Amino acid sequence: MSEQPTFVLIHGAWAASWVWDSLRTVLEGQGYAVITPDMPGNSRNPASPEQINMQGCVSQVQACCAGVTGPLLIVGHSGGGVVATQVAEVMAEQVAGIAYIAGMMLPSGLGFAELADEVQKTQPEAAGIWPYLEWSEDRQSSTVPPQAVCDVFLQDLPPDLAMAAAQRFCAQPEGTRALVAEWSAERFGQLPRLYIEAQQDKSVVLSVQRRMQQLTPGAKVVSLQTGHVPQVTATQAVADALVGFAQR
């Protein structure tokens, strides 16, 4: 795949495609096409219950990429990493590589909650955002209070900018949050990978990021001194890492 890839940026839980606005501008300024799908059930993409699952997420990405004939470079932030993995497995013939930004890069069949629970036995901070969540009465969706967004996700932004961004986070259906990817060595396993780790992350803490790198080895690693959302707080550094990966 020598043709320049199209970036497909997949957001994480409680967010939406807006979280990519700054990065999208930088990548497009360097001549790359960028696709930023909204996952089913978030504030920008209302969906029926039968679409709020892994298949619904994959189908949404496939629909957004339907007009692309060249290679795709799939990027997943946080929980979007699980979707990125499944998309890469399903669309392996068209995928040039996968990049994770503080993302959930997991072995086939392993859920993030299972991994985080294990790490919490010795590192309580691995609970991340979980203790702050506010749940719907039926526990089928959750929200993150704005101050928790500022403190856990965006602590490396100025407080006024962090609070402005926090107001944009939305309710997250469980059907598209608690996902588990299933992948094969012959498809996903053959694709180049990049892991951009966020060393100051309070949500997917660094020890958990590195445990995922151990369990799913082979990714090139770029380490940034940022919190959980480096595409917002260190946009140029993330763009440089992604473009370097694309060019390789």
Side-chain angles (χ1 to χ4, degrees), residues 13-64:
W14 306 287
S17 57
W18 62 263
V19 80
W20 300 112
D21 286 352
S22 297
L23 181 62
R24 178 174 192 154
T25 297
V26 174
L27 292 174
E28 289 179 339
Q30 296 191 41
Y32 288 91
V34 180
I35 295 171
T36 56
D38 284 292
M39 293 300 100
N42 81 10
S43 59
R44 293 192 177 189
N45 185 14
S48 60
E50 59 269 22
Q51 295 172 304
I52 300 178
N53 51 38
M54 178 68 90
Q55 183 55 56
C57 292
V58 173
S59 295
Q60 175 68 8
V61 176
Q62 289 177 307
C64 290

Side-chain angles (χ1 to χ4, degrees), residues 74-111:
I74 312 297
V75 182
H77 172 240
S78 189
V82 181
V83 178
T85 297
Q86 197 65 60
V87 167
E89 171 72 12
V90 171
M91 303 179 70
E93 291 85 358
Q94 196 176 355
V95 174
I98 316 104
Y100 298 84
I101 302 175
M104 297 177 185
M105 181 180 70
L106 293 158
S108 181
L110 180 67

Side-chain angles (χ1 to χ4, degrees), residues 152 155-156 197-206 209 224-228:
V152 181
Q155 82 274 16
D156 48 343
E197 61 177 28
Q199 291 206 19
Q200 305 303 320
D201 199 331
K202 295 182 179 181
S203 179
V204 183
V205 299
L206 184 60
Q209 293 177 59
L224 301 179
Q225 291 291 337
T226 72
H228 185 58

Side-chain angles (χ1 to χ4, degrees), residues 133-152:
L133 297 182
E134 295 180 348
W135 292 89
S136 63
E137 187 173 344
D138 62 3
R139 292 191 69 85
Q140 292 305 299
S141 69
S142 59
T143 57
V144 184
Q147 192 57 54
V149 172
C150 295
D151 294 343
V152 181

